[in-house]
């Protein structure tokens, strides 16, 4: 569904460009007043970049609108191969979060919206996606967080950490039948994250956001014991 919308957006942009009817859209840099052909447009890197950004922002807005307006039944609908529509949307959201840095803030806002909807669907048993959560969602979200926990873009680091907290909430709901393990013996899921953090240099500020997000699930004592060398170096 999304790919068809993106194709339509591409077609609309191409049509407006080659007819030369949207000169105001081409004047943003103050360098060109008219473009007579598509070939001439793509030689202007600045205009091309602007057009691509606008196209991507349009796609992000479209997906956000779907999440905001679609009913639970629609988002839980298994469109193909027993994959809920909300899961298909996540693949698009992840792609935006891994895209150009100029898109990151909007993409991570979209990721927060997706997690809010998905948490609701999982909490109400509207979708049963434990395998998806344990594999794809966990891996892809952690990849996003590792790459953006010290992002130079304003608020992206905080949004990335917020997405990680949402992942933890989803994980807890999906595994509520297993019960909470003690702080001395946390879930392998949380242990794997702590193990990865131990290999990160102490001066990487983003890791402390992740530690803070982990405390409610593994306990402050376990985090302290795991990172004794770091704590000692800071005291």
């Amino acid at each position: 569904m999304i790919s068809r919308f993106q194709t339509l957006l591409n077609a609309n942009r191409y049509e407006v460009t080659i007819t030369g009817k949207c000169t105001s859209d081409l004047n943003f840099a103050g360098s060109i007043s008219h473009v007579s052909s598509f070939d001439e447009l793509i030689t202007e890197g600045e205009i091309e970049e602007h057009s691509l950004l606008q196209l991507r922002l349009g796609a992000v807005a479209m997906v956000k609108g779907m999440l905001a307006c679609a009913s639970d039944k629609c988002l839980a609908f298994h469109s193909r191969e027993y994959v809920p529509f909300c899961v298909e949307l996540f693949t698009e959201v992840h792609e935006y979060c891994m895209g150009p840095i100029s898109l990151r803030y909007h993409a991570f806002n979209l990721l927060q919206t997706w997690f809010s909807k998905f948490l609701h669907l999982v909490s109400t048993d509207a979708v049963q996606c434990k395998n998806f959560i344990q594999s794809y969602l966990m891996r892809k979200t952690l990849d996003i967080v590792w790459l953006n926990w010290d992002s130079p873009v304003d608020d992206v680091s905080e949004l990335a950490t917020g997405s990680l907290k949402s992942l933890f909430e989803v994980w807890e709901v999906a595994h509520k039948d297993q019960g909470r393990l003690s702080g001395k013996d946390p879930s392998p899921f949380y242990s794997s994250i702590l193990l990865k953090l131990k290999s990160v240099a102490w001066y990487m500020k983003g890791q402390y956001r992740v530690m803070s997000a982990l405390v409610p699930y593994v306990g402050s004592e376990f985090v302290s014991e795991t990172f004794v060398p770091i704590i000692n170096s800071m005291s």
Side-chain angles (χ1 to χ4, degrees):
M1 178 183 291
I2 296 174
S3 60
R4 290 199 295 271
F5 276 114
Q6 289 175 329
T7 301
L8 180 61
L9 283 170
N10 274 310
N12 288 340
R13 171 63 64 178
Y14 180 84
E15 181 179 355
V16 170
T17 301
I18 62 174
T19 56
K21 293 181 179 179
C22 190
T23 55
S24 61
D25 189 42
L26 301 175
N27 277 327
F28 77 97
S31 58
I32 286 185
S33 59
H34 176 73
V35 176
S36 60
S37 70
F38 186 71
D39 289 336
E40 184 179 348
L41 174 62
I42 64 174
T43 60
E44 298 294 332
E46 195 173 27
I47 295 180
E48 181 187 13
E49 181 181 353
H50 173 76
S51 299
L52 289 174
L53 177 60
Q54 292 297 103
L55 178 59
R56 294 186 183 108
L57 286 174
V60 168
M62 181 187 67
V63 176
K64 192 164 189 176
M66 288 181 180
L67 289 170
C69 301
S71 65
D72 292 354
K73 185 176 181 180
C74 176
L75 293 173
F77 176 71
H78 293 70
S79 57
R80 59 181 176 81
E81 300 177 358
Y82 303 102
V83 178
F85 181 50
C86 59
V87 172
E88 292 189 55
L89 286 176
F90 177 77
T91 62
E92 295 293 328
V93 176
H94 174 266
E95 183 178 336
Y96 299 145
C97 290
M98 298 294 285
I101 196 169
S102 56
L103 194 68
R104 294 287 171 87
Y105 175 78
H106 301 285
F108 275 90
N109 262 312
L110 175 60
L111 183 62
Q112 290 276 60
T113 302
W114 182 89
F115 263 113
S116 176
K117 280 288 186 177
F118 187 69
L119 178 60
H120 168 71
L121 293 171
V122 173
S123 300
T124 58
D125 293 324
V127 294
Q128 301 290 334
C129 299
K130 185 174 289 188
N131 289 336
F132 164 71
I133 294 169
Q134 292 180 164
S135 56
Y136 191 83
L137 180 63
M138 181 185 76
R139 185 177 71 256
K140 294 298 184 180
T141 303
L142 291 177
D143 287 345
I144 293 171
V145 173
W146 301 148
L147 290 173
N148 292 277
W149 64 13
D150 277 331
S151 174
V153 181
D154 289 346
D155 298 328
V156 167
S157 297
E158 289 75 13
L159 289 170
T161 305
S163 298
L164 183 65
K165 292 178 179 178
S166 297
L167 174 65
F168 294 163
E169 292 183 53
V170 169
W171 181 272
E172 289 290 316
V173 171
H175 297 80
K176 59 187 176 183
D177 56 319
Q178 297 179 5
R180 177 69 65 84
L181 297 174
S182 66
K184 294 183 179 179
D185 186 26
S187 162
F189 167 58
Y190 298 121
S191 297
S192 65
I193 297 175
L194 286 167
L195 183 62
K196 186 164 184 175
L197 288 178
K198 290 184 72 173
S199 64
V200 177
W202 66 268
Y203 52 80
M204 299 293 292
K205 294 185 294 183
Q207 67 177 309
Y208 301 109
R209 296 190 182 97
V210 176
M211 287 183 198
S212 175
L214 281 168
V215 168
Y217 303 99
V218 301
S220 57
E221 183 178 347
F222 184 82
V223 173
S224 300
E225 292 175 354
T226 304
F227 294 94
V228 168
I230 293 179
I231 295 174
N232 290 340
S233 66
M234 295 172 66
S235 60

